[in-house]
């Protein structure tokens, strides 16, 4: 399941937790754990902290489609390399 999540994230775009959970076939709580595991493994990194701050202060506000109380994540170089291997 972690590989599938990494592949989806490597395709780019903005995804809500609900959309990602549905695509991977898990609940949102398990998805959160999976994302945290990918981050711990060095495949993802949080970008700009959490979305609890005002959007105008966020470095990714111009491309973010999430909004609300969530986090924005980005693949690291290690994550990009692994996603290429999984194709």
């Amino acid at each position: 399941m972690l590989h599938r999540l990494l592949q989806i994230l490597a395709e780019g775009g903005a995804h809500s937790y609900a959309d990602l959970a549905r695509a991977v076939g898990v609940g949102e709580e398990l998805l959160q754990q999976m994302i945290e595991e990918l981050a711990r493994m060095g495949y993802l990194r949080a970008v700009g902290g959490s979305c609890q701050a005002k959007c105008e202060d966020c470095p990714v506000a111009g491309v973010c489609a999430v909004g609300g109380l969530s986090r924005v994540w980005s693949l690291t170089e290690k994550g990009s390399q692994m996603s290429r291997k999984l194709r």
Side-chain angles (χ1 to χ4, degrees):
M1 284 191 285
L2 286 176
H3 289 158
R4 176 67 184 132
L5 177 57
L6 193 59
Q7 289 173 323
I8 292 168
L9 295 173
E11 293 171 4
H15 307 278
S16 70
Y17 277 39
D19 290 341
L20 285 174
R22 201 170 17 262
V24 178
V26 299
E28 288 185 46
E29 187 173 314
L30 180 55
L31 176 77
Q32 177 62 39
Q33 293 172 1
M34 293 169 66
I35 288 173
E36 289 172 5
E37 180 66 10
L38 289 173
R40 188 191 66 73
M41 295 167 64
Y43 297 126
L44 294 177
R45 67 177 174 85
V47 178
S50 69
C51 289
Q52 296 175 13
K54 295 180 182 177
C55 290
E56 59 266 12
D57 296 331
C58 180
V60 295
V63 296
C64 180
V66 178
L69 300 175
S70 60
R71 297 189 79 177
V72 178
W73 297 91
S74 174
L75 284 178
T76 62
E77 181 57 36
K78 181 179 177 180
S80 295
Q81 290 174 358
M82 177 57 78
S83 69
R84 285 191 293 272
K85 289 180 185 178
L86 296 173
R87 290 184 192 160

